[in-house]
Amino acid sequence: MQYETYTGFEKEVKNFLDFFRPKIDEYEELLTTNRIWVERTKNVGTISAEDCIALGVNWPVLRASGVKWDLRKAQPYANYKNFDFEIPIGQNGDTYDRYLVRMAEMRPNPCASSSRRLARCLKGPIMAKVPKS
């Protein structure tokens, strides 16, 4: 059974996106070149593309290892078949590359942005499977 979202949900999400999108550059600038952040994330937690595949690792960890594969594109579910987006990938498979992949997914460009997909979803009916309370 599906239930509609609560009254005001769309407005709250839109308000969040209006606040969040302009801040992405600020957040990225704060971390991407921060010496301490870089030292604690570069070459840390590295996993190769081969190991990711062998272990069944996916999502940003797999993409940060240089594998251009995303379930949302390979086997679209829900409404993903209606979204055109690029798959951001890294090269080193470390924590820093995983961070860069996630930052790329938040960028407000028409292809890679999770925030852009979220904004597009607000234009249609929003339904979710949730238990009644």
Side-chain angles (χ1 to χ4, degrees), residues 1-131:
M1 184 173 282
Q2 293 185 346
Y3 304 96
E4 290 195 36
T5 58
Y6 59 87
T7 302
F9 174 80
E10 293 90 345
K11 184 173 176 25
E12 287 181 16
V13 173
K14 184 182 178 316
N15 288 343
F16 167 76
L17 291 173
D18 289 346
F19 170 82
F20 174 75
R21 282 179 169 169
K23 300 278 187 193
I24 294 173
D25 288 338
E26 180 182 337
Y27 299 150
E28 187 171 22
E29 184 179 337
L30 177 70
L31 293 173
T32 304
T33 59
N34 180 293
R35 180 181 53 83
I36 296 168
W37 173 257
V38 173
E39 286 176 10
R40 291 182 178 180
T41 59
K42 267 203 178 235
N43 301 312
V44 173
T46 303
I47 184 167
S48 70
E50 295 78 19
D51 286 344
C52 282
I53 292 167
L55 295 169
V57 173
N58 57 34
W59 298 106
V61 176
L62 176 66
R63 293 193 300 273
S65 296
V67 179
K68 192 172 183 173
W69 191 87
D70 190 318
L71 182 65
R72 299 168 295 183
K73 279 231 185 232
Q75 300 170 2
Y77 57 93
N79 201 27
Y80 280 110
K81 66 181 175 283
N82 297 318
F83 293 107
D84 181 28
F85 60 95
E86 292 299 316
I87 302 170
I89 61 168
Q91 299 172 358
N92 304 309
D94 59 8
T95 302
Y96 188 74
D97 272 8
R98 289 190 285 278
Y99 154 75
L100 291 177
V101 165
R102 281 301 196 190
M103 287 305 300
E105 289 180 339
M106 289 187 279
R107 288 248 157 253
N109 69 60
C111 296
S113 173
S114 55
S115 65
R116 174 139 230 163
R117 289 192 302 269
L118 182 57
R120 281 188 60 197
C121 287
L122 290 177
K123 294 179 181 178
I126 299 173
M127 302 291 286
K129 291 181 180 181
V130 294

